[in-house]
Amino acid sequence: MTLEAELTEKLRRLKEASLLRRLAVRAGGVPEIEEVGEDGSRTRLLNFSSNDYLGLAGHPALKAAACEAAARYGAGAGASRLITGHAPWTAALEADLAAWLEKDAALLFSSGYAAGVGTLSALIERDDVVLSDRLNHASLIDGIRLSRARVRRYRHNDLAHLEALLKEVREREGKKRVWIVTESVFSMDGDVAPLREIVELKTRYGAYLVVDEAHAVGLFGPRGGGVAEALGVLEAIEVFIGTLSKALGAVGGFVAGSRPLIDWLVNRARSFMYSTALPPAAVAAAREGLRIVQGEPGRRRRALGNAAWFRGRLEALGALRIVAPFGESGAPPFVTPIVPIVVGSAGRACRVSAALRARGILAVAIRPPTVPDGTARLRFSVSAAHSPDDLARAAEAAAWALEAAADRGVGGGTSGCG
Ligand SMILES: *Cc1c(COP(=O)(O)O)cnc(C)c1O
């Protein structure tokens, strides 16, 4: 069989299982995005799938900063920072990020994905033990895999399970280095890790803690630093991972921590060392994004207020199938802008998504392997840029689409998935 024939057959099977992914041409942002069909037709959609939580990606200040940086310094960085150095403001942005997160230093990566993979694979050694939340993001999973260390996955946000594993490792393996790796806001469930209790455990058992706050920076805490800031535990986190690509409205990932940590990553994080630096426009835009996050706390209040209203409305309409704020930890609940409606099968998620699209709402179906089998879902991402009317429209459309897709009448096949 040729490779082409083999792949064609595999893709056919994906399509049959409603698991095929396709790309689409869409331009715009939040709240509205325009889709260009293969026939050139244009459809305007209310966008509930972007991570642009504060509406900064289209902000005039970020756009102007990007334009000016590109005009002055060019479109591309040309090489890795270890080869050609970095654009002006790169070090300034890193210093600002470090100060914001009460760390000594920070390091930019070309994406949040690259930050997770490069950092974990550079820090974790083969003889270490890693305790990883079962729902962790692919970038964390892949970084741990590259380290070749032994991984024990603990049940999602389950402190008792995490503690049992810590005990077991300490009893059996003595002084081995142990890492706890978790997200703060989980990207597919929108719930929040009980970081205060995890910090207690990591201190008691002498483990190191890595927290990925990709969906939390810019949104939580008095200064917008994330969940750890909100809970007052920033200091205990050895390795803080974040992204500039979501609430901050630009692109790029970062790590913040001690000076030796950052110096080690410069020497050992392969996704940093062997990849071209972020373009000047991205760095300039991210700096503006950070400036606005720090100067305009009203934006995050609006984003979280919108999210609370939207969740409440879905619940009132009987459309919210899982509500999982914060597990059993007893910590204060966080309302996050990620609002999942779990529908079960991938086919059903595609049909609901198609029905929503027919009503002018973009809420993409999230399917395995991104989420566990049988938990395919619609994921709504609420932004400060959504108006009360946008939120009301989307909630009502969601309630209707769930009903409509139940009887298979609307959005047959996998059309909702591209
Ligand atoms: C989105 C995300 C990333 C990746 O960030 P990018 O900047 O988009 O590459 C990493 N970790 C988590 C938890 C995420 O949700």
Side-chain angles (χ1 to χ4, degrees):
M1 206 194 265
T2 64
L3 177 62
E4 192 182 331
E6 197 184 302
L7 295 178
T8 303
E9 171 56 19
K10 282 185 171 157
L11 288 164
R12 193 190 59 73
R13 266 183 260 142
L14 282 182
K15 186 167 174 128
E16 222 170 67
S18 295
L19 294 176
L20 189 67
R21 285 142 157 90
R22 277 178 182 286
L23 299 170
V25 180
R26 294 189 191 114
V30 181
E32 199 171 80
I33 197 161
E34 190 175 65
E35 188 170 290
V36 185
E38 275 166 24
D39 57 357
S41 62
R42 287 163 186 274
T43 315
R44 290 147 79 103
L45 299 167
L46 202 47
N47 182 6
F48 276 86
S49 287
S50 169
N51 303 312
D52 182 13
Y53 297 121
L54 301 178
L56 291 182
H59 192 288
L62 275 78
K63 292 200 273 193
C67 288
E68 196 197 320
R72 281 176 65 181
Y73 298 104
S80 156
R81 280 167 74 184
L82 288 170
I83 308 292
T84 50
H86 48 245
W89 336 287
T90 303
L93 174 57
E94 288 173 339
D96 290 348
L97 288 167
W100 187 42
L101 300 166
E102 301 169 15
K103 299 292 180 196
D104 294 338
L107 186 68
L108 297 182
F109 287 75
S110 52
S111 69
Y113 180 85
V117 169
T119 299
L120 293 181
S121 58
L123 290 173
I124 299 171
E125 290 172 9
R126 201 172 181 159
D127 278 345
D128 298 351
V129 177
V130 184
L131 304 180
S132 172
D133 188 288
R134 191 170 281 176
L135 295 188
N136 273 343
H137 189 260
S139 57
L140 305 173
I141 295 170
D142 295 353
I144 294 168
R145 261 190 208 152
L146 279 173
S147 78
R148 286 180 286 182
R150 200 151 63 81
V151 196
R152 307 289 304 271
R153 297 194 310 162
Y154 60 92
R155 286 190 292 272
H156 175 53
N157 278 349
D158 187 330
L159 292 164
H161 193 204
L162 174 59
E163 178 157 25
L165 291 175
L166 281 164
K167 245 188 209 140
E168 195 184 309
V169 173
R170 282 293 171 238
E171 274 162 19
R172 287 206 198 146
E173 324 234 17
K175 305 194 289 298
K176 272 200 172 174
R177 295 205 309 175
V178 178
W179 299 82
I180 299 172
V181 180
T182 184
E183 296 179 33
S184 63
V185 172
F186 281 84
S187 54
M188 296 301 143
D189 289 66
D191 59 349
V192 177
L195 287 185
R196 217 178 254 158
E197 290 79 358
I198 291 176
V199 163
E200 272 171 33
L201 287 177
K202 85 119 199 165
T203 308
R204 192 169 337 136
Y205 290 90
Y208 298 141
L209 179 57
V210 179
V211 179
D212 186 339
E213 296 240 40
H215 284 280
V217 288
L219 285 169
F220 299 98
R223 290 175 291 107
V227 172
E229 190 210 333
L231 293 174
V233 295
L234 266 176
E235 202 189 339
I237 295 169
E238 278 93 356
V239 184
F240 184 110
I241 302 176
T243 183
L244 308 168
S245 328
K246 290 170 180 165
L248 272 78
V251 68
F254 66 87
V255 172
S258 68
R259 187 74 250 173
L261 172 82
I262 298 307
D263 290 346
W264 183 255
L265 295 179
V266 168
N267 283 276
R268 283 291 183 277
R270 292 161 69 87
S271 62
F272 172 83
M273 300 165 73
Y274 300 112
S275 188
T276 299
L278 282 169
V283 178
R287 262 197 102 188
E288 276 306 305
L290 178 58
R291 195 183 58 73
I292 293 171
V293 161
Q294 292 178 320
E296 299 180 19
R299 278 181 188 268
R300 55 183 166 274
R301 281 199 289 273
R302 192 155 69 246
L304 299 180
N306 279 352
W309 189 89
F310 185 68
R311 274 175 186 269
R313 185 75 191 125
L314 284 178
E315 265 175 86
L317 292 168
L320 206 55
R321 301 298 159 89
I322 61 159
V323 191
F326 233 84
E328 313 276 288
S329 69
F334 284 75
V335 172
T336 75
I338 298 170
V339 186
I341 301 181
V342 175
V343 299
S345 76
R348 179 137 198 269
C350 291
R351 290 199 300 279
V352 179
S353 180
L356 277 164
R357 207 180 157 290
R359 286 254 172 135
I361 310 281
L362 181 68
V364 169
I366 309 276
R367 296 164 286 163
T370 308
V371 292
D373 276 334
T375 71
R377 65 199 64 183
L378 275 289
R379 188 183 61 161
F380 289 82
S381 294
V382 177
S383 166
H386 289 125
S387 71
D389 187 52
D390 295 338
L391 299 167
R393 252 184 74 195
E396 257 130 64
W400 168 82
L402 284 168
E403 291 300 316
D407 60 20
R408 289 186 150 268
V410 183
T414 61
S415 57
C417 294

